[in-house]
Amino acid sequence: MAKMEVKTSLLDNMIGVGDMVLLEPLNEETFINNLKKRFDHNEIYTYIGSVVISVNPYRSLPIYSPEKVEDYRNRNFYELSPHIFALSDEAYRSLRDQDKDQCILITGESGAGKTEASKLVMSYVAAVCGKGAEVNQVKEQLLQSNPVLEAFGNAKTVRNDNSSRFGKYMDIEFDFKGDPLGGVISNYLLEKSRVVKQPRGERNFHVFYQLLSGASEELLHKLKLERDFSRYNYLSLDSAKVNGVDDAANFRTVRNAMQIVGFMDHEAESVLEVVAAVLKLGNIEFKPESRVNGLDESKIKDKNELKEICELTGIDQSVLERAFSFRTVEAKQEKVSTTLNVAQAYYARDALAKNLYSRLFSWLVNRINESIKAQTKVRKKVMGVLDIYGFEIFEDNSFEQFIINYCNEKLQQIFIELTLKEEQEEYIREDIEWTHIDYFNNAIICDLIENNTNGILAMLDEECLRPGTVTDETFLEKLNQVCATHQHFESRMSKCSRFLNDTSLPHSCFRIQHYAGKVLYQVEGFVDKNNDLLYRDLSQAMWKAGHALIKSLFPEGNPAKINLKRPPTAGSQFKASVATLMKNLQTKNPNYIRCIKPNDKKAAHIFNESLVCHQIRYLGLLENVRVRRAGYAFRQAYEPCLERYKMLCKQTWPHWKGPARSGVEVLFNELEIPEEEYSFGRSKIFIRNPRTLFKLEDLRKQRLEDLATLIQKIYRGWKCRTHFLLMKKSQIVIAAWYRRYAQQKRYQQIKSSALVIQSYIRGWKARKILRELKHQKRCKEAATTIAAYWHGTQVRREYRKFFRANAGKKIYEFTLQRIVQKYFLEMKTKMPSLSPIDKNWPSRPYLFLDSTHKELKRIFHLWRCKKYRDQFTDQQKLIYEEKLEASELFKDKKALYPSSVGQPFQGAYLEINKNPKYKKLKDSIEEKIIIAEVVNKINRANGKSTSRIFLLTNNNLLLADQKSGQIKSEVPLVDVTKVSMSSQNDGFFAVHLKEGSEAASKGDFLFSSDHLIEMATKLYRTTLSQTKQKLNIEISDEFLVQFRQDKVCVKFIQGSQKNGSVPTCKRKNNRLLEVAVP
């Protein structure tokens, strides 16, 4: 669902006056008070017609969010409160929809917020134009060009921590849809003197500090730099660190921005190498030396810095050293080489550093232009953004301030011309009579400076090119001769009698009356700065560099292209650039942003009225308002005008059916506004005096209050009526529901009463019938009883003689039956638990029931044993069968048996299937293993024991080596004839083999095991299962075993052992083997 738009106006909820054109009365004091009032309420933007005044708040304000961008998108310029986004949107929509090229001129002094304003304009345009991968890439490159140019062209000054020390004009190119295609950047007058010297409290260009703070140790080593700022003479130390500025983070931002803009890695490295070379140039120092001919010359003190510079730039050290010490002058076919003294050497060094950095900056601009220029050749729409230095008035004003102020004079001239032109075009377009406007035309000041014959710049160039001794004083004398009578030029040496008594003018100065005020210029340095000479020897040395970038920066150093003609001066170059800029601006529709600095402390919430007043004067803002108000102060389209003021006339309220212009005519006639106060254009109403507009606003405010009261009255009446009707409807509904409820309740009461009465009547009837039935029953029972007694009497009389003969027997049988019945009932409550081992049983009550009592005990025990057995699984049954078998074989025969009863028979004690040690043994046995246990095999010769693995399968008995798992003996179960053991508490047993069998070749086996009972039982059961014959189990303390050909008696004796409770075996002789059992 589309967002609902609420139409508002610049005049709604206005703090002070949003448009200075409406300020009444108009003077300097009210102008400043209005700015201050709005500044105190965080309203930093104010209009002068279509011009935006921006006061730097020196803090972040929540007025640039994406939501704000959407608020101002596609809105009328005067629809919302003043904002830089409103001007940006107006310019962008005019470019996109009306196909008009635009330019946005941002002016103001250093620290007024010009750079931030240009960023906001570009970010707004980037936010509202089209989307897409290609478009987004172009937008990103345009936006990321700013950090690169700021790093190399901005510096901290006493007025601004991020002051632009160059002028920038960017043409952003758009296609027919309004999507950006690319851009072109032009730079003007980089303040290259800052490279070698900075005023107190200021810094060099940002990039030097960012490089030293943010570069890695590896990069610094490669560039032959150290992180300590104090190592470099070109860096100011008193303000090297700026509060709130992270140079290291900014360096990373710049490197990333260079990558986004399109710099290759080797290009970025080359740029940093040039920056490093400039830094190290400042560390070269000279010392004087006298030659034989008496001339002074200079020598480099420490050649280590020179060596590192040459390594960075790829220049031969001797070539660069000579260029710092000698100067070659060529005239026609002659070459004259002269030595440089120390002062000239330092001048040459600084000139090289300034030129190297200035040309690097120009190369950066051209390189960025290559990346961001439009790739297509279709017709383009252009929006220019001019961020250039504002008017400068310092304590000491030199050549730089002179040409900066000249540029501002030209901008003021074009501003006045374009503003008047725009006003005149609008009057003609709206068919309003044009009245001549008197204003100060600063063309006379521009002519004083730029006139080709007797302008100040022309005379400066003439002095620079004149042979002979040329100094700043000779230039000032020439100015005094030519400009003495000019009304905007003042000098102490002027022959005009007006200035004879003006002792405030020093001898080496001149003063110009600019449009913004008088400025006093120090003539010192004008000639040198205008010449901007770089000795040809240094140019040729730079051209010989092995560094490709440096070589390309000095094409004039190529010996094949020697040009003896003097290069153009700085003043003439700047004049030509300004002329090109003015020509460019005149082809575009202008939009103005005037930036004002509220204080010199760079602090928030401080508004210095004197400082602001000074800026208002030199920006010509009051004159701008007067130009705007010279004809009609306010103009507005008929539709929004009628929409805003229609409530002031009954005929136009609430809806006007006809054309909007007719409605406005009816409205103004109804309000009896004098005809000379307004005029009707083709599409707009023009109001001459702001008082008329404020009168309309006051009437509208009063009418809105009346309408609000009326709306409140109608609303309250509607609300009360609605509430009454709702209450009435609710009362009817409640009454209906209550009546229904009352009737239902009454019905329920009647119903319950009827039920109670019915129940009482039915009860009474039932009781009456019951009494009758009981009476009938008693009568019937009485008759029956009488009959029974009568019949009993008759029978007793009849059988009395028989009863006396059999009475004793009958009584005995009855008594016996009752005793037995009582016995069984008592036994039911005294039955013992179902555990088979529970031996409790109730005592018999009567002797004659003794046999019955015993039989019942036997039957109950058999029954609970069966119940207990039914709970067993097949595995448990097998275990109990083995245990039962062991009980039959060994109970009361073997002393070891009782200790084995509680031990479960596990069989596989070695876990052969899981132990990888016995994998080979497991693989060699295909049958199921019933027992796997380690036993001690008794040696037949000496009675000592050896560990063996005892394995019992379904058909065989096997012995294997415990360590290797190798099978030593294998005996089929059919060859086992008997197992012998003692009756004592030991684990010895003998396995007797069938005589003549293959397994019996070495005789019987004698073993010792901790699980004798289990092994003997399983061997017995397995043999029985396979051979169908019971294995003979012999239990005796003496038995014979066959050892090869001899029969040996094994005898068990009682005795104390050294090993504690472990039985020992000892061979006494060839016929006796004693086993000592503890």
Side-chain angles (χ1 to χ4, degrees):
M1 186 175 181
K3 179 182 177 183
M4 183 181 294
E5 292 190 4
V6 180
K7 297 294 183 183
T8 59
S9 170
L10 172 69
L11 302 171
D12 287 332
N13 302 321
M14 191 165 55
I15 297 171
V17 177
D19 191 342
M20 289 294 188
V21 175
L22 304 178
L23 187 63
E24 191 70 23
L26 176 62
N27 54 53
E28 199 172 74
E29 182 181 355
T30 57
F31 194 99
I32 295 173
N33 289 338
N34 187 54
L35 280 181
K36 185 176 187 303
K37 183 177 181 180
R38 292 178 62 77
F39 178 79
D40 291 340
H41 288 81
N42 295 329
E43 293 288 342
I44 64 171
Y45 297 111
T46 309
Y47 292 154
I48 301 178
S50 60
V51 177
V52 175
I53 302 174
S54 172
V55 183
N56 192 344
Y58 286 116
R59 62 194 177 99
S60 298
L61 294 176
I63 58 175
Y64 307 108
S65 62
E67 292 76 16
K68 278 289 182 183
V69 172
E70 289 302 317
D71 287 344
Y72 282 88
R73 187 173 187 173
N74 296 326
R75 291 295 190 103
N76 184 277
F77 186 74
Y78 296 102
E79 193 172 333
L80 298 175
S81 58
H83 202 291
I84 195 172
F85 286 170
L87 180 136
S88 304
D89 186 74
E90 185 77 12
Y92 176 71
R93 286 192 292 115
S94 297
L95 175 137
R96 183 192 63 192
D97 302 336
Q98 301 176 22
D99 205 18
K100 292 182 180 179
D101 287 349
Q102 303 289 316
C103 65
I104 298 176
L105 280 66
I106 307 172
T107 56
E109 71 173 54
S110 179
K114 301 187 299 299
T115 302
E116 286 303 314
S118 67
K119 290 181 186 177
L120 290 171
V121 171
M122 293 178 65
S123 64
Y124 179 84
V125 173
V128 300
C129 65
K131 302 291 187 289
E134 218 172 288
V135 173
N136 288 340
Q137 182 182 0
V138 172
K139 290 193 290 188
E140 188 67 15
Q141 286 186 335
L142 289 173
L143 293 175
Q144 290 299 325
S145 65
N146 280 324
V148 180
L149 293 179
E150 284 184 16
F152 287 86
N154 288 23
K156 178 203 179 294
T157 65
V158 291
R159 297 187 175 186
N160 186 4
D161 289 344
N162 188 32
S163 176
S164 297
R165 307 317 298 162
F166 71 104
K168 182 179 75 173
Y169 177 74
M170 174 183 281
D171 268 334
I172 308 173
E173 300 172 336
F174 298 83
D175 62 11
F176 70 95
K177 303 191 299 294
D179 294 341
L181 296 172
V184 178
I185 299 173
S186 302
N187 65 299
Y188 301 95
L189 192 66
L190 177 72
E191 189 190 12
K192 55 187 178 183
S193 61
R194 182 172 292 271
V195 174
V196 299
K197 183 179 180 181
Q198 305 90 42
R200 181 175 297 277
E202 299 190 3
R203 294 205 313 178
N204 210 324
F205 292 102
H206 291 327
V207 67
F208 296 114
Y209 304 93
Q210 292 174 357
L211 175 61
L212 296 181
S213 300
S216 64
E217 295 294 339
E218 180 184 356
L219 179 58
L220 288 178
H221 179 72
K222 184 178 179 182
L223 298 177
K224 306 184 185 303
L225 295 176
E226 297 179 21
R227 208 173 291 279
D228 185 9
F229 295 159
S230 62
R231 288 277 293 110
Y232 304 100
N233 297 331
Y234 279 166
L235 298 186
S236 175
L237 298 180
D238 58 344
S239 56
K241 294 291 184 181
V242 181
N243 292 334
V245 175
D246 187 348
D247 288 318
N250 290 341
F251 180 73
R252 293 190 290 272
T253 302
V254 171
R255 292 298 298 269
N256 183 56
M258 292 178 75
Q259 187 176 4
I260 292 173
V261 170
F263 282 81
M264 306 298 289
D265 289 343
H266 69 88
E267 290 178 324
E269 290 178 7
S270 297
V271 169
L272 295 179
E273 287 169 353
V274 175
V275 173
V278 172
L279 261 183
K280 298 185 77 62
L281 272 174
N283 291 350
I284 295 179
E285 296 182 348
F286 302 93
K287 59 183 179 180
E289 281 191 7
S290 297
R291 302 181 69 181
V292 178
N293 56 9
L295 296 175
D296 290 336
E297 67 176 8
S298 61
K299 292 291 183 181
I300 297 174
K301 287 184 180 180
D302 183 5
K303 295 185 180 181
N304 186 51
E305 292 285 353
L306 182 67
K307 178 184 176 183
E308 291 183 350
I309 292 173
C310 292
E311 289 175 358
L312 273 175
T313 58
I315 302 174
D316 185 81
Q317 184 174 343
S318 61
V319 172
L320 187 58
E321 184 177 0
R322 176 176 175 78
F324 280 132
S325 303
F326 294 88
R327 178 187 178 188
T328 303
V329 179
E330 296 185 22
K332 295 183 180 180
Q333 302 299 322
E334 297 182 4
K335 289 186 179 180
V336 179
S337 181
T338 60
T339 60
L340 299 179
N341 58 30
V342 172
Q344 291 172 332
Y346 277 115
Y347 173 84
R349 179 200 69 177
D350 291 346
L352 176 60
K354 291 188 290 185
N355 271 272
L356 189 58
Y357 191 82
S358 175
R359 297 183 189 205
L360 172 66
F361 186 77
S362 299
W363 181 88
L364 278 172
V365 173
N366 293 331
R367 180 63 184 83
I368 291 172
N369 285 337
E370 287 180 15
S371 295
I372 67 176
K373 68 181 179 181
Q375 302 298 321
T376 60
K377 296 183 179 180
V378 298
R379 183 179 177 276
K380 310 174 190 69
K381 304 175 184 180
V382 178
M383 176 185 289
V385 180
L386 178 63
D387 173 13
I388 203 162
Y389 12 67
F391 200 86
E392 292 187 351
I393 305 176
F394 298 147
E395 289 184 8
D396 296 325
N397 302 289
S398 188
F399 179 73
E400 291 85 0
Q401 283 69 45
F402 175 73
I403 57 176
I404 285 172
N405 293 342
Y406 160 61
C407 179
N408 278 272
E409 286 285 356
K410 296 295 288 183
L411 288 174
Q412 176 69 8
Q413 184 182 19
I414 196 173
F415 169 69
I416 296 295
E417 289 177 1
L418 292 177
T419 302
L420 288 174
K421 181 182 176 183
E422 183 183 3
E423 285 284 298
Q424 187 173 6
E425 286 178 352
E426 184 173 21
Y427 278 42
I428 294 172
R429 187 170 58 248
E430 293 294 330
D431 198 17
I432 301 294
E433 183 180 355
W434 171 256
T435 56
H436 178 72
I437 299 172
D438 291 328
Y439 65 96
F440 170 68
N441 190 345
N442 68 335
I444 186 173
I445 304 175
C446 295
D447 185 69
L448 170 65
I449 299 173
E450 68 180 5
N451 188 283
N452 291 329
T453 305
N454 53 7
I456 295 177
L457 285 176
M459 286 185 284
L460 181 59
D461 286 349
E462 186 178 329
E463 279 296 298
C464 291
L465 299 175
R466 182 174 62 83
T469 304
V470 178
T471 63
D472 296 320
E473 287 73 20
T474 61
F475 166 62
L476 182 58
E477 289 176 5
K478 194 173 188 66
L479 286 183
N480 291 331
Q481 293 172 8
V482 178
C483 305
T485 58
H486 198 287
Q487 58 181 335
H488 291 275
F489 177 86
E490 301 174 10
S491 170
R492 188 181 182 93
M493 304 300 294
S494 174
K495 302 302 180 182
C496 182
S497 60
R498 292 183 300 141
F499 307 121
L500 289 177
N501 298 323
D502 190 354
T503 57
S504 65
L505 276 169
H507 289 282
S508 61
C509 298
F510 65 91
R511 184 158 54 199
I512 295 179
Q513 175 69 48
H514 287 283
Y515 77 94
K518 293 183 179 181
V519 181
L520 183 67
Y521 295 104
Q522 303 283 344
V523 77
E524 182 183 355
F526 262 64
V527 173
D528 286 342
K529 292 177 180 178
N530 188 51
N531 268 326
D532 193 23
L533 286 178
L534 179 67
Y535 297 151
R536 185 173 287 114
D537 301 75
L538 289 172
S539 299
Q540 293 175 351
M542 291 296 105
W543 188 84
K544 293 176 182 178
H547 197 282
L549 175 57
I550 293 179
K551 185 172 184 175
S552 67
L553 296 180
F554 294 87
E556 75 275 13
N558 188 350
K561 298 179 180 179
I562 293 178
N563 187 359
L564 300 182
K565 184 179 178 181
R566 284 178 64 95
T569 61
S572 60
Q573 291 181 40
F574 187 73
K575 177 182 173 183
S577 299
V578 169
T580 304
L581 175 64
M582 297 303 120
K583 185 178 179 180
N584 192 355
L585 295 179
Q586 284 177 340
T587 63
K588 295 179 173 60
N589 185 49
N591 302 271
Y592 300 96
I593 301 173
R594 303 297 205 185
C595 298
I596 291 179
K597 181 169 66 172
N599 60 77
D600 279 327
K601 298 179 180 179
K602 296 179 277 190
H605 306 294
I606 298 177
F607 190 91
N608 188 325
E609 294 186 13
S610 61
L611 178 64
V612 173
C613 177
H614 172 68
Q615 294 173 80
I616 288 171
R617 288 175 183 171
Y618 77 65
L619 286 174
L621 297 184
L622 273 175
E623 193 169 50
N624 188 1
V625 178
R626 292 190 182 101
V627 170
R628 182 77 179 182
R629 288 178 56 166
Y632 293 91
F634 182 77
R635 69 285 315 264
Q636 190 174 27
Y638 289 121
E639 288 79 4
C641 180
L642 180 61
E643 184 68 24
R644 185 167 184 80
Y645 300 113
K646 64 181 180 180
M647 72 285 297
L648 301 179
C649 177
K650 293 182 179 179
Q651 299 178 47
T652 57
W653 178 258
H655 300 291
W656 174 256
K657 302 296 184 182
R661 173 171 176 164
S662 302
V664 175
E665 290 176 354
V666 170
L667 176 65
F668 276 51
N669 291 333
E670 180 73 19
L671 295 174
E672 298 180 353
I673 298 174
E675 292 184 0
E676 63 271 12
E677 286 296 320
Y678 63 89
S679 182
F680 292 106
R682 295 181 186 276
S683 62
K684 295 180 181 179
I685 176 73
F686 287 73
I687 297 175
R688 188 177 301 277
N689 200 308
R691 285 192 297 271
T692 304
L693 180 65
F694 292 141
K695 178 184 176 183
L696 288 173
E697 283 295 312
D698 291 339
L699 292 172
R700 179 177 180 270
K701 184 178 180 182
Q702 182 61 43
R703 182 60 178 156
L704 286 176
E705 292 178 358
D706 297 340
L707 288 175
T709 304
L710 178 62
I711 292 170
Q712 287 176 347
K713 180 182 74 172
I714 294 172
Y715 173 73
R716 291 191 185 111
W718 170 83
K719 188 175 180 181
C720 290
R721 282 194 301 276
T722 304
H723 183 66
F724 167 74
L725 293 174
L726 181 62
M727 292 289 288
K728 183 178 179 181
K729 183 179 179 181
S730 301
Q731 186 271 333
I732 293 171
V733 172
I734 292 170
W737 277 83
Y738 176 74
R739 285 194 293 270
R740 187 179 74 169
Y741 167 74
Q743 292 298 324
Q744 287 176 342
K745 188 174 181 182
R746 185 167 176 270
Y747 167 75
Q748 292 294 339
Q749 288 177 345
I750 295 172
K751 182 178 179 181
S752 62
S753 301
L755 291 174
V756 170
I757 294 170
Q758 287 176 353
S759 64
Y760 272 101
I761 292 173
R762 290 193 187 98
W764 174 75
K765 286 184 177 181
R767 285 192 295 275
K768 183 180 178 182
I769 294 170
L770 180 62
R771 283 195 298 271
E772 293 176 354
L773 290 174
K774 283 183 176 180
H775 178 70
Q776 293 175 5
K777 183 180 180 182
R778 280 197 296 271
C779 292
K780 190 174 182 180
E781 286 178 350
T784 303
T785 302
I786 293 170
Y789 273 96
W790 168 249
H791 288 308
T793 303
Q794 292 295 98
V795 170
R796 282 192 293 276
R797 286 177 183 175
E798 184 70 25
Y799 288 96
R800 187 172 292 163
K801 54 184 178 182
F802 300 105
F803 180 75
R804 288 177 178 170
N806 298 314
K809 184 179 179 182
K810 294 288 184 181
I811 292 170
Y812 170 75
E813 290 176 353
F814 176 78
T815 303
L816 186 63
Q817 184 179 3
R818 293 297 297 166
I819 289 172
V820 171
Q821 185 180 10
K822 182 180 178 182
Y823 166 72
F824 281 113
L825 290 174
E826 288 178 351
M827 285 296 291
K828 180 180 179 182
T829 60
K830 295 180 180 179
M831 294 296 284
S833 67
L834 294 179
S835 174
I837 61 175
D838 188 357
K839 297 186 179 299
N840 295 324
W841 186 251
S843 60
R844 57 177 171 75
Y846 304 103
L847 183 61
F848 73 92
L849 292 175
D850 183 57
S851 59
T852 303
H853 193 67
K854 290 179 180 179
E855 185 63 19
L856 275 177
K857 179 179 180 182
R858 186 185 70 82
I859 293 171
F860 178 77
H861 180 68
L862 292 176
W863 174 78
R864 67 183 177 182
C865 287
K866 181 180 182 305
K867 293 288 285 184
Y868 185 76
R869 288 195 304 275
D870 290 343
Q871 298 175 4
F872 294 162
T873 62
D874 293 341
Q875 183 68 26
Q876 290 174 325
K877 287 181 180 180
L878 180 62
I879 292 173
Y880 280 105
E881 286 176 0
E882 290 179 344
K883 286 287 185 179
L884 184 60
E885 193 81 55
S887 175
E888 293 176 353
L889 291 173
F890 303 109
K891 187 178 181 181
D892 299 331
K893 300 176 182 178
K894 177 71 173 173
L896 186 65
Y897 171 74
S899 63
S900 71
V901 173
Q903 298 175 358
F905 290 173
Q906 296 181 11
Y909 288 96
L910 292 185
E911 296 184 345
I912 291 178
N913 294 332
K914 297 181 182 180
N915 196 333
K917 178 180 178 181
Y918 302 120
K919 184 176 183 303
K920 184 176 179 181
L921 175 62
K922 173 181 173 298
D923 293 342
S924 63
I925 301 173
E926 297 178 354
E927 298 177 278
K928 178 183 176 182
I929 298 174
I930 298 172
I931 292 179
E933 164 69 334
V934 176
V935 298
N936 291 321
K937 176 178 174 293
I938 307 303
N939 192 299
R940 298 177 178 89
N942 53 20
K944 294 183 179 180
S945 62
T946 305
S947 295
R948 289 286 186 267
I949 297 176
F950 184 95
L951 297 174
L952 176 64
T953 66
N954 290 332
N955 295 309
N956 298 291
L957 186 154
L958 299 97
L959 293 178
D961 186 83
Q962 184 182 4
K963 294 181 180 180
S964 64
Q966 182 180 358
I967 297 176
K968 295 291 187 178
S969 301
E970 183 174 355
V971 180
L973 291 181
V974 295
D975 293 343
V976 178
T977 59
K978 184 173 65 172
V979 175
S980 299
M981 64 188 71
S982 73
S983 61
Q984 299 184 37
N985 192 17
D986 63 274
F988 285 86
F989 68 99
V991 178
H992 302 272
L993 303 180
K994 183 187 295 184
E995 293 183 4
S997 64
E998 183 180 352
S1001 60
K1002 292 183 180 182
D1004 300 335
F1005 292 104
L1006 183 61
F1007 301 109
S1008 172
S1009 172
D1010 293 336
H1011 301 94
L1012 168 62
I1013 302 300
E1014 179 182 358
M1015 295 178 70
T1017 303
K1018 287 184 179 292
L1019 181 60
Y1020 176 85
R1021 287 175 59 82
T1022 304
T1023 304
L1024 178 63
S1025 173
Q1026 294 299 318
T1027 63
K1028 306 302 179 182
Q1029 295 180 359
K1030 292 183 178 181
L1031 181 66
N1032 184 16
I1033 303 295
E1034 179 185 359
I1035 300 175
S1036 173
D1037 289 342
E1038 287 188 19
F1039 53 81
L1040 295 175
V1041 293
Q1042 185 75 34
F1043 283 174
R1044 294 187 182 274
Q1045 302 302 323
D1046 300 327
K1047 288 188 179 293
V1048 178
C1049 176
V1050 179
K1051 185 176 182 181
F1052 292 84
I1053 61 174
Q1054 294 286 336
S1056 60
Q1057 301 297 324
K1058 295 180 181 179
N1059 295 331
S1061 60
V1062 180
T1064 58
C1065 182
K1066 188 175 181 181
R1067 185 77 178 261
K1068 288 292 187 180
N1069 50 51
N1070 291 338
R1071 299 293 181 179
L1072 180 62
L1073 187 68
E1074 281 189 356
V1075 178
V1077 181

